[in-house]
Amino acid sequence: MLNAFRKFTKSRYGVVVAFIFLGLLAFAFTAGDLSGLRNSVTGASSKTLAKVGDTEVTEADVRERIERLIRSAQAQGQAVTMAQVLEQGGFEAAVGDAITSAAIREFAHDSGMFVGKRVIDSTIANNPQFAGMDGKFSQQTFEGLLAQNQITPAQFREAMTSQRYAAWLIGPVTMRGAAPSGVVLPYASMLLERRTGTIGFVQSLAMDPGADPDQKTLADYYGRNRTRYLVPERRVIRYALAKPETLQTQATPNDAEIADAFKKNASRYAAVEKRTIDLVAAIDQGTARKVAEAAKAGDLAAAAKAAGLEMRKLDAADKSTAAKQVSAAFADAAFAAPANAVQGPARLGASWYVYRVAKVENIAARTLDQVRGELTEEVRKRKLAALLGTLRQSIEDGVGDGKTFEEAVRDAKLTAVSTPALTAAGTDADKPDVPADPNLAAITKAGFGFEQAGDEPQVVPIGQDGGFALVSLERIVPAAPRPLAQIAGKVKADYLLDQALAKARAAATAMLPKLQKGIPMAQALAEAGVTKGAPPKPFDLKRGELRDKEKFLQMAFDMPVKTARLVEAPNRGGYYVVYVDTVQPGNAAGDAAAIQPLQNALNQLGAAEYERQFSAALAQAVKIRRNEKAIARLRADLQRQGAGGQ
């Protein structure tokens, strides 16, 4: 049902949870089999889930992994909930990932491996995704992109560092040969197995649930099912926004600033000649001569291709650009040559060139008045960025010196706002139909990062325009079930649905022996009193066609022939009754189309198994102490959060 979570626990990198942030970087976090490494933690705080050597694995580490997985799945259009993550083993996988990621780092350090800060800084600085308008690294772009994806710079650096260690230690393990054909054939044949049968559906809504519950029955039912009605922990968060628009007036440049900018960029507005140049470079004079002779009689690009070379084009380049992209000697020659004539072969530097000036443009100088609008906007943006940076630094310095949230907001002349009591997902439990405000995502995340109300406020980047927010935790509302009086109608509906579901199960169970005696599905449904709902449906499928099929169809391929079973439908909708009529074995011998994809898949699974085994061995070499009480407590907290989010 949830491809993202199948991939989460069964991906090629069985020991690696990978997430890709805007195509910037794949971060790898290993997760191996850590059974047997469950000694109690001594000296660990309640927020510490495990100690791996000298490294602590915290609640925040695991929450971040799970939240990142949910965001990734939701970005791919999958409506994933916290409850589904927990149901499909996402919590256990995230804990294992965090522990083994720490183990890899510890093992690497013990082995003398270290990822230097300069390496990470260089990788970030050279990443084109973080470049500003001038093509150079921009701290504002860097922080804006991270904030947009709810990742802090520290988390980004940590992930890059962990990825380096994982690549060094785990990457070489994946080198292995292909799975033998004799191993692949039985699996490929199994995928060709064909089964036929019939599906019947005993719908809960088609059953009579009985009389409405009295108050005592309703209260008893509510008491037994309190976890269904839990509202997860909520937090009231105070924040103050510093947005670029609030500083627009101060950022408006005056005439002196515009004139100064014009003076500093005089070369940009001076008269300039630009040329579009077609050129071919060759390593020897003979080749260049052949290209030149052919080009004079025809097309330079075709002449280059005939010689096994490729023509380059400098489009509307000035002389300095031509010098940078080719060489100073070439620029001098090309800007002295007449237009539309093939030049060369000419040795200009280390290469022989044949070239043609295809177009000459003489751009007149521009005056200050002509570029005033352009310069005004540039200076305004520069001043605005500086003002925001100064304001942010001032607030951070004040907080560092002990200012409270209220004092910092007052001194910065900002306006403080309080959110409603929000869940970690950013929703208001009292308004379940209102979606989370995406503009508050980073603020909500920061609010749930505080230990308690009164902790030091934090500055959080907002968006990509340099804006930020000062965030403080005002109040924590503990998780608790809604009072019965508020949700009596929902509890009553749930009670009646459970009664109908029990009757649906009894009717479906009564059908099984009849089906196995050969009674048709339609007759068995009628004899069980199921007169409403969709008629029975036949199925005829190969095992290889089961991907993304319903659970009851998948179950049909785990049953003996001429047998019947039942399985509960989602959301207490009733029970599916499955009868398998025929089983036709498959045979993939000589079927390359069936064998090749499976061989590729087994190659990947084999590599993942090598990774898992190596990771487990690596973890055994590092001292790991788990805090099982803290792990169980976090799981319970996430369960309450998941229940409240449904």
Side-chain angles (χ1 to χ4, degrees):
M1 179 176 63
L2 298 174
N3 293 331
F5 293 100
R6 292 196 186 98
K7 293 176 183 176
F8 180 70
T9 55
K10 301 179 182 178
S11 65
R12 176 191 183 284
Y13 292 92
V15 293
V16 178
V17 171
F19 71 90
I20 300 177
F21 156 57
L22 292 183
L24 306 181
L25 184 67
F27 303 108
F29 298 97
T30 58
D33 179 6
L34 303 180
S35 57
L37 304 175
R38 300 175 181 270
N39 300 326
S40 62
V41 174
T42 56
S45 72
S46 62
K47 298 294 184 180
T48 301
L49 304 185
K51 281 191 174 181
V52 183
D54 296 327
T55 302
E56 289 190 354
V57 175
T58 66
E59 284 190 10
D61 295 331
V62 174
R63 284 183 183 273
E64 173 62 26
R65 277 169 167 75
I66 294 175
E67 289 171 3
R68 187 184 302 132
L69 177 65
I70 292 175
R71 290 199 301 271
S72 176
Q74 291 174 342
Q76 297 173 26
Q78 298 190 53
V80 176
T81 66
M82 180 64 72
Q84 291 168 326
V85 174
L86 300 179
E87 179 184 349
Q88 299 199 16
F91 174 76
E92 290 73 17
V95 172
D97 295 336
I99 289 175
T100 312
S101 179
I104 283 181
R105 182 178 291 227
E106 287 290 317
F107 185 87
H109 289 174
D110 292 344
S111 302
M113 297 180 180
F114 289 92
V115 177
K117 181 177 181 295
R118 289 185 179 180
V119 173
I120 303 302
D121 287 345
S122 176
T123 303
I124 293 174
N126 290 310
N127 193 315
Q129 296 288 345
F130 299 139
M133 296 182 64
D134 58 359
K136 298 178 180 179
F137 172 76
S138 166
Q139 185 71 23
Q140 179 176 327
T141 301
F142 172 65
E143 292 185 355
L145 284 172
L146 294 184
Q148 182 180 341
N149 287 268
Q150 303 179 41
I151 299 174
T152 67
Q155 289 170 337
F156 190 78
R157 291 174 179 276
E158 277 296 301
M160 293 180 70
T161 302
S162 295
Q163 188 274 339
R164 285 296 181 104
Y165 286 128
W168 288 345
L169 291 170
I170 304 297
V173 180
T174 64
M175 304 296 291
R176 63 185 299 275
S181 298
V183 173
V184 178
L185 181 59
Y187 292 101
S189 296
M190 185 173 63
L191 292 178
L192 297 179
E193 175 191 302
R194 179 181 293 276
R195 295 191 173 211
T196 66
T198 311
I199 307 293
F201 184 37
V202 182
Q203 190 177 13
S204 296
L205 295 178
M207 311 305 289
D208 180 7
D212 289 351
D214 57 28
Q215 288 300 316
K216 182 179 184 306
T217 302
L218 195 65
D220 290 343
Y221 177 82
Y222 170 77
R224 293 193 308 271
N225 295 278
R226 289 167 65 88
T227 55
R228 285 188 184 177
Y229 310 110
L230 279 175
V231 178
E233 178 186 296
R234 293 170 291 163
R235 297 193 171 196
V236 178
I237 304 165
R238 297 199 75 198
Y239 66 95
L241 293 176
K243 302 282 285 183
E245 51 264 30
T246 63
L247 299 172
Q248 292 288 4
T249 301
Q250 299 176 54
T252 301
N254 55 41
D255 289 341
E257 290 170 329
I258 295 171
D260 183 61
F262 180 78
K263 182 178 180 181
K264 289 179 178 178
N265 292 277
S267 60
R268 195 164 116 198
Y269 306 113
V272 64
E273 178 182 307
K274 291 188 176 182
R275 296 192 167 201
T276 296
I277 308 166
D278 300 330
L279 70 145
V280 178
I283 60 174
D284 62 86
Q285 184 179 15
T287 303
R289 183 181 297 111
K290 290 180 181 179
V291 172
E293 290 173 354
K296 289 175 182 177
D299 180 72
L300 181 57
K305 186 175 182 180
L309 303 175
E310 185 176 348
M311 187 189 79
R312 289 178 57 191
K313 179 181 285 291
L314 301 182
D315 193 15
D318 59 23
K319 191 173 182 179
S320 63
T321 300
K324 290 178 183 178
Q325 294 188 7
V326 186
S327 70
F330 176 82
D332 289 340
F335 273 75
N340 300 315
V342 175
Q343 305 294 322
R347 186 164 188 171
L348 303 170
S351 299
W352 288 86
Y353 289 94
V354 178
Y355 60 95
R356 179 179 60 212
V357 178
K359 184 178 180 181
V360 178
E361 298 177 81
N362 290 300
I363 300 174
R366 289 185 287 172
T367 66
L368 173 59
D369 287 338
Q370 288 174 319
V371 298
R372 184 177 298 276
E374 175 185 326
L375 277 175
T376 299
E377 182 62 15
E378 288 182 7
V379 175
R380 185 194 67 78
K381 288 182 177 179
R382 190 161 55 245
K383 287 185 67 177
L384 189 58
L387 287 168
L388 279 167
T390 300
L391 178 60
R392 176 172 175 169
Q393 189 62 53
S394 173
I395 291 174
E396 289 178 337
D397 290 344
V399 169
D401 291 338
K403 281 186 180 180
T404 64
F405 173 82
E406 289 76 12
E407 291 170 339
V409 169
R410 179 199 64 206
D411 294 347
K413 296 181 173 59
L414 301 177
T415 301
V417 179
S418 292
T419 69
L422 299 177
T423 67
T427 57
D428 183 347
D430 294 329
K431 299 177 180 178
D433 296 331
V434 178
D437 184 351
N439 297 317
L440 293 180
I443 292 170
T444 302
K445 182 177 179 181
F448 274 82
F450 292 107
E451 294 284 341
Q452 59 188 4
D455 283 354
E456 181 179 288
Q458 295 182 14
V459 173
V460 179
I462 302 294
Q464 301 184 52
D465 58 2
F468 62 90
L470 182 64
V471 182
S472 176
L473 177 60
E474 180 176 318
R475 180 164 53 94
I476 297 177
V477 182
R482 291 186 183 279
L484 176 58
Q486 290 184 6
I487 55 171
K490 176 172 174 51
V491 176
K492 174 185 172 183
D494 286 344
Y495 170 84
L496 293 173
L497 182 57
D498 279 358
Q499 297 301 303
L501 180 66
K503 291 184 178 181
R505 181 179 180 84
T509 302
M511 293 171 58
L512 300 181
K514 297 179 180 180
L515 292 168
Q516 293 179 172
K517 290 179 181 179
I519 294 176
M521 181 70 74
Q523 182 179 338
L525 284 166
E527 291 179 0
V530 183
T531 58
K532 299 179 182 179
K537 291 184 178 180
F539 66 87
D540 183 350
L541 288 171
K542 292 180 181 178
R543 187 182 292 272
E545 298 170 342
L546 282 179
R547 183 175 181 179
D548 298 327
K549 295 294 185 182
E550 295 88 342
K551 186 177 180 180
F552 54 81
L553 284 174
Q554 295 178 13
M555 184 180 72
F557 279 78
D558 292 328
M559 296 167 53
V561 67
K562 304 299 183 183
T563 61
R565 290 182 185 173
L566 60 85
V567 61
E568 185 176 345
N571 304 317
R572 295 178 288 168
Y575 283 87
Y576 290 102
V577 181
V578 181
Y579 178 75
V580 176
D581 188 29
T582 66
V583 176
Q584 179 183 342
N587 185 358
D591 189 345
I595 292 175
Q596 189 60 52
L598 191 60
Q599 188 168 44
N600 294 337
L602 288 177
N603 291 343
Q604 293 180 349
L605 289 173
E609 182 60 24
Y610 276 111
E611 292 171 354
R612 275 189 288 271
Q613 296 298 333
F614 181 80
S615 180
L618 182 151
Q620 293 284 351
V622 179
K623 187 176 183 181
I624 298 175
R625 295 166 292 166
R626 292 171 56 115
N627 186 340
E628 298 296 351
K629 290 184 178 179
I631 292 172
R633 183 166 50 250
L634 175 58
R635 197 184 202 291
D637 287 346
L638 293 175
Q639 281 180 322
R640 288 192 290 270
Q641 176 182 331
Q646 291 182 325

